[in-house]
Amino acid sequence: VFDDLTAKGELLGNELVITEIDSRILGGILLGNARISWRSGWRAQGSLVAKTITMQNMLKAMSGDMDGTARFQMQASSLAGLTDAATLDGSFVIRKGVINGIDIVETARLRSTESMPGGRTHFDELSGELSYAKDIYAFRQLKMAAGVLAAKGTVDYSGQQVAGSIIANLALREGMGPVSLQLGGTRDNPTLRAVR
């Protein structure tokens, strides 16, 4: 749902070429371009640039401002089915944010094999690559910088289910080494525990 959307383009036979998309969405700005054709079935593709998207408007468990870029494609026999076949690939950076429901620092420090309910993870920057297809969001090459914490990992969202792995390095004391963590649960109620 856009707060405001302006698009400029040309209709050329069986194709709409949108050269400029400028919109306000989720507290930020979304720019891009797209090409939509209907010669044999419906096809859409294009690129997007997101600037200062407010994460809390997108995902209640996370705050911070996101910048990113992505390319998308859709193909279907009818216009109504176009979004059902959407795929997206891109990269993102979220700055000065919080993940609610898990505490990566405490879970890694205690090497807790039991999920500790609640908690928060503050971070200075979280970056990675995102792909979306068939209602599955896959986050790869995730990197987090957060004071004493440096972490990397992968996360998948399928419906409400969350699954992922995190390698956490804490600069609290020497010799601690990396800690492997497993993420699970749901988007609204995530779990995090150390893997032995």
Side-chain angles (χ1 to χ4, degrees), residues 101-177:
I102 59 172
D103 189 333
I104 297 173
V105 173
E106 278 300 290
T107 304
R109 186 180 72 80
L110 298 172
R111 296 179 186 257
S112 176
T113 56
E114 297 291 321
S115 182
M116 300 184 292
R120 301 166 70 140
T121 302
H122 293 262
F123 60 87
D124 301 315
E125 186 174 289
L126 173 61
S127 64
E129 294 180 357
L130 160 70
S131 63
Y132 169 83
K134 298 180 181 173
D135 287 333
I136 297 171
Y137 292 88
F139 298 90
R140 297 292 178 263
Q141 296 184 18
L142 292 172
K143 292 179 185 168
M144 178 186 286
V148 299
L149 172 68
K152 58 185 180 179
T154 64
V155 177
D156 291 318
Y157 280 114
S158 178
Q160 286 293 313
Q161 296 302 304
V162 179
S165 61
I166 299 168
I167 304 293
N169 280 293
L170 298 178
L172 295 172
R173 60 181 183 265
E174 286 187 37
M176 187 171 179

Side-chain angles (χ1 to χ4, degrees), residues 20-167:
E20 187 179 320
I21 297 170
D22 187 340
S23 63
R24 304 297 171 268
I25 187 170
L26 301 171
I29 299 167
L30 190 63
L31 307 171
N33 60 63
R35 183 178 292 261
I36 304 166
S37 64
W38 50 90
R39 278 186 200 97
S40 55
W42 286 81
R43 181 185 301 261
Q45 60 186 31
S47 61
L48 301 169
V49 176
K51 297 182 179 183
T52 62
I53 300 291
T54 305
M55 285 305 299
Q56 204 158 15
N57 293 340
M58 187 185 303
L59 192 61
K60 293 198 183 329
M62 185 178 283
S63 67
D65 287 334
M66 180 191 70
D67 294 338
T69 60
R71 295 204 47 77
F72 68 89
Q73 284 190 153
M74 303 177 214
Q75 188 172 346
S77 57
S78 68
L79 177 61
L82 209 52
T83 56
D84 296 337
T87 63
L88 182 137
D89 290 287
S91 60
F92 65 91
V93 177
I94 305 167
R95 291 182 179 86
K96 299 201 181 310
V98 176
I99 301 171
N100 291 308
I102 59 172
D103 189 333
I104 297 173
V105 173
E106 278 300 290
T107 304
R109 186 180 72 80
L110 298 172
R111 296 179 186 257
S112 176
T113 56
E114 297 291 321
S115 182
M116 300 184 292
R120 301 166 70 140
T121 302
H122 293 262
F123 60 87
D124 301 315
E125 186 174 289
L126 173 61
S127 64
E129 294 180 357
L130 160 70
S131 63
Y132 169 83
K134 298 180 181 173
D135 287 333
I136 297 171
Y137 292 88
F139 298 90
R140 297 292 178 263
Q141 296 184 18
L142 292 172
K143 292 179 185 168
M144 178 186 286
V148 299
L149 172 68
K152 58 185 180 179
T154 64
V155 177
D156 291 318
Y157 280 114
S158 178
Q160 286 293 313
Q161 296 302 304
V162 179
S165 61
I166 299 168
I167 304 293

